[in-house]
Amino acid sequence: MESISQTPDALLPPAPDGAALDSVSRARWFSRLLRLWSAHTSRTATTASPTATSLTSPDLTAFVLLGGGARGAAQAGAVAVALEHGVRPDVIIGVSAGAWNGSYLAVDPTPARARALCDIWAGLKTSDLLGGGWWRAAVSAVSGRASLYSAKGPIQMARRYMEKQTFEELKTPLHILATNLITGQPVLFSSGRLLPAVLASSSVPGIFPPVVLDGQVYVDGGLLEWDACAQALRLGARKIYLFGCGSIEELSPRLSLPHVAVAPAKNGASNGKQRLAAVLQSPDLGPTVGANLLEVLERSWDVISQYQFRRAVEGLRASSASVISIEPMLPLQSRPLDFSRSEGMIAAGRAAAEATLHLAATTAAAEAQAIQIA
């Protein structure tokens, strides 16, 4: 794994208009991206073997903040509850949306600052991050650009809320994970300028343009999210709070079955059995689903998010670390690129954290009592 500790002299592309990369052809760009996804999904929990870690402090507590786009609001709510319960991190590791939350909290991880972070999320509008909206995305798609949206919105948000300019100014050590699109390796930023690291970590492929630093091309750290967890182990953390951004359990009705025309029953009614039979008997080898493109992409995001979170928990627990994992269940309309529904997601994050921490406290008390009796 490559680790960058030097301060980047300049934030090179992404340009505000999201122009395509000059040095890497579009075909190679997508090819590398597909290989990264394939490599990630083939990872197993064995990569978290304790023999690969350097355990130095049995009391070290790490907050690992994973990614999730606009759902980072739920993570902010969950972290606020943890801090209100007296949990304080010795180190914070952030990925994508977690990099934004982590860079704000690492200035001074207190309940008051966490609640201020929630207020920032609650005040966001989708236009603050995405600018021109879907019409701009459509123009970018047909213009051959490297992303649907420019980095202008995220840069403006960072300049508005990022109080510290370098990692060294933070009260709590912070590590930010990004993916090197050229080498296909995870990269951890832990010193130097904050803004380039946060932008690189949250440059969702196809949504925001890649970030070029010192001749290397970086995209969202969520592609190789496990390495954030592995970093907590390498730093010697024995107590790890793993904060996801949440996912939606409920399946959209329009994704439940392929969309085919079904003749009404003789009595004018239609039921599930009739619809299923029509699907099975259809001569069309490629029936379509009733969901639109956005619903398919969002469901795919949920599937990936849930899978990655489960594997991260499994991997961390295989290392014998104490793991408190918090993954909020979100309202149905909690879309990854919709920043207008933060209040509901914050509430979901708080509820998930309260339930998880209560269960952890109850379990610890029962185990302590059992030891005393023994």
Side-chain angles (χ1 to χ4, degrees):
M1 186 207 70
E2 179 183 359
S3 178
I4 290 184
S5 60
Q6 298 298 318
T7 304
D9 293 330
L11 180 60
L12 300 176
D17 64 353
L21 296 174
D22 293 330
S23 59
V24 182
S25 69
R26 192 171 300 107
R28 289 181 60 197
W29 192 92
F30 281 109
S31 175
R32 287 183 181 277
L33 179 58
L34 289 172
R35 287 201 298 271
L36 284 172
W37 276 111
S38 299
H40 178 77
T41 54
S42 66
R43 285 178 175 233
T44 65
T46 58
T47 58
S49 169
T51 59
T53 65
S54 176
L55 306 178
T56 57
S57 172
D59 301 321
L60 189 69
T61 296
F63 277 13
V64 179
L65 312 181
L66 303 180
R71 296 173 178 177
Q75 183 181 84
V79 172
V81 169
L83 293 171
E84 289 166 0
H85 279 253
V87 182
R88 188 176 179 90
D90 297 301
V91 63
I92 298 173
I93 304 164
V95 184
S96 198
W100 288 90
N101 286 338
S103 64
Y104 188 85
L105 291 168
V107 173
D108 187 19
T110 63
R113 187 163 182 83
R115 287 190 289 268
L117 176 61
C118 291
D119 290 340
I120 292 174
W121 276 103
L124 286 180
K125 302 186 296 295
T126 301
S127 60
D128 291 335
L129 277 298
L130 303 185
W134 289 108
W135 69 267
R136 177 62 182 270
V139 171
S140 296
V142 300
S143 300
R145 293 171 179 165
S147 63
L148 297 179
Y149 301 98
S150 77
K152 182 178 180 180
I155 290 174
Q156 289 179 339
M157 292 297 298
R159 288 172 177 167
R160 186 183 309 172
Y161 296 113
M162 192 173 288
E163 300 173 15
K164 305 299 182 182
Q165 301 301 312
T166 67
F167 285 88
E168 289 75 13
E169 298 175 74
L170 303 174
K171 183 173 291 187
T172 300
L174 174 67
H175 299 254
I176 291 178
L177 178 70
T179 299
N180 187 316
L181 197 59
I182 303 299
T183 66
Q185 296 299 311
V187 177
L188 283 158
F189 296 85
S190 58
S191 66
R193 292 174 59 203
L194 268 174
L195 177 56
V198 172
L199 289 175
S201 180
S202 55
S203 291
V204 182
I207 304 299
F208 295 114
V211 173
V212 180
L213 296 170
D214 297 332
Q216 297 296 307
V217 183
Y218 298 101
V219 294
D220 198 296
L223 296 181
L224 304 176
E225 196 169 64
W226 163 251
D227 205 70
C229 304
Q231 178 67 359
L233 298 176
R234 287 191 292 266
L235 292 171
R238 300 308 296 152
K239 192 159 197 176
I240 300 173
Y241 287 79
L242 183 65
F243 294 91
C245 288
S247 58
I248 299 173
E249 283 289 339
E250 186 177 352
L251 183 65
S252 169
R254 298 204 293 176
L255 276 168
S256 58
L257 283 174
H259 178 67
V260 296
V262 179
K266 292 182 179 180
N267 60 2
S270 178
N271 55 50
K273 290 184 178 179
Q274 181 186 14
R275 183 177 176 82
L276 179 60
V279 171
L280 295 177
Q281 295 172 7
S282 172
D284 185 359
L285 298 180
T288 61
V289 294
N292 60 33
L293 172 63
L294 184 59
E295 288 172 323
V296 173
L297 291 175
E298 288 173 346
R299 179 56 182 170
S300 300
W301 187 311
D302 279 329
V303 170
I304 293 170
S305 174
Q306 292 174 22
Y307 176 81
Q308 288 180 335
F309 193 82
R310 289 194 302 268
R311 296 305 298 269
V313 173
E314 293 169 1
L316 289 172
R317 288 179 175 163
S319 73
S320 300
S322 173
V323 182
I324 306 294
S325 59
I326 302 174
E327 175 75 334
M329 289 296 104
L330 304 176
L332 182 60
Q333 296 301 318
S334 303
R335 293 173 169 170
L337 294 179
D338 185 354
F339 293 84
S340 65
R341 301 176 182 271
S342 294
E343 291 187 357
M345 289 188 277
I346 291 169
R350 291 189 63 89
E354 290 283 6
T356 301
L357 294 177
H358 175 75
L359 177 61
T362 301
T363 302
E367 291 175 350
Q369 184 177 12
I371 292 175
Q372 288 180 348
I373 295 175

